[in-house]
Amino acid sequence: MQFLSKYSLKKYHTFGTDVYTKCFTEINSVTQFKDLLQEDIYKNNAILILGGGSNLLFTKNFNGLIVKNNLHGIEIIKQDENHVWVKAAAGENWHQFVLWCVNHNYGGVENLSLIPGCVGASPMQNIGAYGVEIKDVCEQVNAIDVKTGEEKTFSNADCKFGYRESVFKHAYKNKYLIASVVFKLSKKPVFNTSYGAIEQELKAMGVIQLSVKAISDAVINIRSSKLPDPAKIGNAGSFFKNPEVSKQKHDKLKQQYPNLVAYALDNGNYKLAAGWLIEQCGFKGKRFGDAGVHVNQALVLVNYGTASGSEIYNLSQQILDAVKNTYGVTLEREVNIY
Ligand code: EPU
């Protein structure tokens, strides 16, 4: 096993800021990870397990050991007339996994096309887009205790999925390495086109017969037109979550700001479009040095080149303060800060 010292993380996280880790290693198998647990360097350092690095911001150098998860493989483990259970290793690129499903005509993850990152992060974040979340298709998460090496299986219920939330971000934060995820996909998919932009895009594409491929293509078109490609402009997708407020708070805001964008939730509360709040505060397309707010989607903070993590973080704080002062709403960061 190779350990690299004072190693640049620039190409390992999608914000692409120039930060270093004290030490870096990669694991290519579960056995290799279990061997790593016995090493002094592992026992004596703070550990961060890294997947695609697409949902984090380093505000300073990392003073510990970064373990890059390189576990690979996609396999069908079970099937019946209607469903197929596919196990994907955590280090698989998420979008490549989606394309594998699309090419096999297995339905369930097509709405989640083009999301940056790896399979292993998908249950952690309960990634979601265009009316679908991982919780809708995740059957099981296979993980390894980072202290004891013990293998543990989490059912969908065990994961305690919520909006961009799971048990792996809270009670089990930094306690498990996610090794693989089992997805229950459909051979006879029911398509989810409820999210307005998808129907519009399908129409523009001239699609008459819905298919897994058509929906995936529509989502790819929408995302490419709105969201910056991390390979070109550093970013981590939505930087903030859409905040949930009470009906009372929503009604008051709506009265004051009739154009407020909000969605009623089953629990009686409302989810506000944080992108709208941020845009109204004048931040959309704003640039402070190389740190900025994306020109097409105010929820996305970007690094135009040489911004530092702390510059991006400070910008996020300015936005938080402005939204709080103007609307009395507290935004929460979706991106993990280190
Ligand atoms: N809006 C604005 N200005 C903006 C952006 C949005 O006014 O700059 C308003 C518009 O009215 C728009 C509405 O907000 O109709 C919703 O915007 P959008 O469809 O872009 O979705 P979002 O709520 O901003 C969420 C997810 C995205 C996901 C999209 C589509 C969160 C935090 N973000 O964004 O997820 O792709 O819905 O489902 O829930 C991510 O998590 O990294 C991510 C990109």
Side-chain angles (χ1 to χ4, degrees), residues 128-131 163-164 195 223 226-227 236-238 240-242 261 263 273 275-276 279 284 296-299 334:
Y130 307 106
Y163 170 52
R164 296 295 189 280
Y195 203 90
R223 286 189 78 96
K226 270 191 157 177
L227 297 169
S238 299
F240 301 98
K241 291 187 197 179
N242 286 324
V261 181
Y263 316 91
W276 186 88
E279 180 173 352
K284 192 170 182 172
N296 295 329
Q297 167 51 291
L299 209 43
E334 187 197 308

Side-chain angles (χ1 to χ4, degrees), residues 167-182:
V167 74
F168 303 108
K169 279 180 85 174
H170 297 282
Y172 294 149
K173 189 170 177 178
N174 299 331
K175 294 211 164 47
Y176 287 94
L177 166 102
I178 293 181
S180 61
V181 183
V182 177

Side-chain angles (χ1 to χ4, degrees), residues 4-7 20-24 44-45 62-65:
L4 300 160
S5 301
K6 197 159 189 298
Y7 193 67
Y20 284 77
T21 174
K22 184 169 119 189
C23 196
F24 181 91
N44 299 333
N45 274 292
F62 186 72
N63 188 24
L65 171 66

Side-chain angles (χ1 to χ4, degrees), residues 123-143:
M124 206 171 274
Q125 279 294 109
N126 184 22
I127 59 171
Y130 307 106
V132 173
E133 288 180 329
I134 275 296
K135 73 164 168 45
D136 305 326
V137 285
C138 176
E139 178 87 357
Q140 186 180 306
V141 174
N142 301 314

Side-chain angles (χ1 to χ4, degrees), residues 7-309:
Y7 193 67
S8 170
L9 294 172
K10 198 169 164 61
K11 64 174 196 220
Y12 290 96
H13 67 118
T14 58
F15 259 122
T17 57
D18 206 6
V19 276
Y20 284 77
T21 174
K22 184 169 119 189
C23 196
F24 181 91
T25 194
E26 299 186 72
I27 50 146
N28 298 302
S29 67
V30 167
T31 315
Q32 216 177 12
F33 181 61
K34 288 185 179 174
D35 290 345
L36 176 63
L37 303 192
Q38 307 309 320
E39 301 272 353
D40 284 345
I41 194 167
Y42 182 90
K43 291 180 192 160
N44 299 333
N45 274 292
I47 304 294
L48 174 62
I49 295 164
L50 197 63
S54 60
N55 201 47
L56 48 81
L57 177 71
F58 290 104
T59 53
K60 52 184 182 299
N61 291 331
F62 186 72
N63 188 24
L65 171 66
I66 291 214
V67 180
K68 170 84 171 79
N69 184 335
N70 266 345
L71 304 179
H72 286 292
I74 299 176
E75 58 174 323
I76 295 172
I77 54 169
K78 189 167 93 173
Q79 54 185 313
D80 63 20
E81 204 186 322
N82 298 318
H83 293 102
V84 56
W85 284 259
V86 178
K87 180 164 126 181
E92 287 290 334
N93 172 274
W94 173 260
H95 182 58
Q96 293 307 315
F97 166 67
V98 171
L99 291 182
W100 184 94
C101 300
V102 169
N103 290 336
H104 285 79
N105 205 25
Y106 298 147
V109 288
E110 58 278 6
N111 292 46
L112 304 174
S113 296
L114 215 59
I115 294 184
C118 287
V119 165
S122 65
M124 206 171 274
Q125 279 294 109
N126 184 22
I127 59 171
Y130 307 106
V132 173
E133 288 180 329
I134 275 296
K135 73 164 168 45
D136 305 326
V137 285
C138 176
E139 178 87 357
Q140 186 180 306
V141 174
N142 301 314
I144 299 165
D145 187 310
V146 298
K147 283 258 176 320
T148 64
E150 192 191 335
E151 298 191 15
K152 177 148 182 190
T153 294
F154 294 86
S155 68
N156 184 300
D158 294 337
C159 292
K160 298 200 168 73
F161 289 125
Y163 170 52
R164 296 295 189 280
E165 292 291 357
S166 78
V167 74
F168 303 108
K169 279 180 85 174
H170 297 282
Y172 294 149
K173 189 170 177 178
N174 299 331
K175 294 211 164 47
Y176 287 94
L177 166 102
I178 293 181
S180 61
V181 183
V182 177
F183 299 93
K184 183 181 175 185
L185 303 170
S186 178
K187 292 181 178 175
K188 296 171 185 166
V190 178
F191 300 113
N192 187 335
T193 58
S194 57
Y195 203 90
I198 294 194
E199 299 231 317
Q200 259 171 27
E201 183 59 33
L202 288 166
K203 214 183 248 176
M205 287 161 59
V207 170
I208 296 160
Q209 184 83 41
L210 278 185
S211 65
V212 171
K213 170 96 170 72
I215 294 186
S216 171
D217 286 345
V219 169
I220 289 172
N221 289 347
I222 300 166
R223 286 189 78 96
S224 323
S225 70
K226 270 191 157 177
L227 297 169
D229 176 356
K232 295 183 186 135
I233 303 178
N235 76 91
S238 299
F239 199 92
F240 301 98
K241 291 187 197 179
N242 286 324
E244 189 174 326
V245 297
S246 66
K247 181 173 175 349
Q248 194 190 11
K249 172 80 182 166
H250 163 266
D251 292 351
K252 207 169 141 212
L253 282 172
K254 188 78 185 168
Q255 210 174 19
Q256 222 178 332
Y257 307 99
N259 294 331
L260 180 82
V261 181
Y263 316 91
L265 299 173
D266 292 343
N267 62 6
N269 287 345
Y270 280 79
K271 192 172 267 191
L272 307 181
W276 186 88
L277 298 171
I278 298 168
E279 180 173 352
Q280 298 306 307
C281 287
F283 282 101
K284 192 170 182 172
K286 275 269 169 76
R287 187 171 168 165
F288 304 84
D290 269 355
V293 179
H294 189 52
V295 67
N296 295 329
Q297 167 51 291
L299 209 43
V300 178
L301 302 193
V302 293
N303 172 15
Y304 284 107
T306 58
S308 67

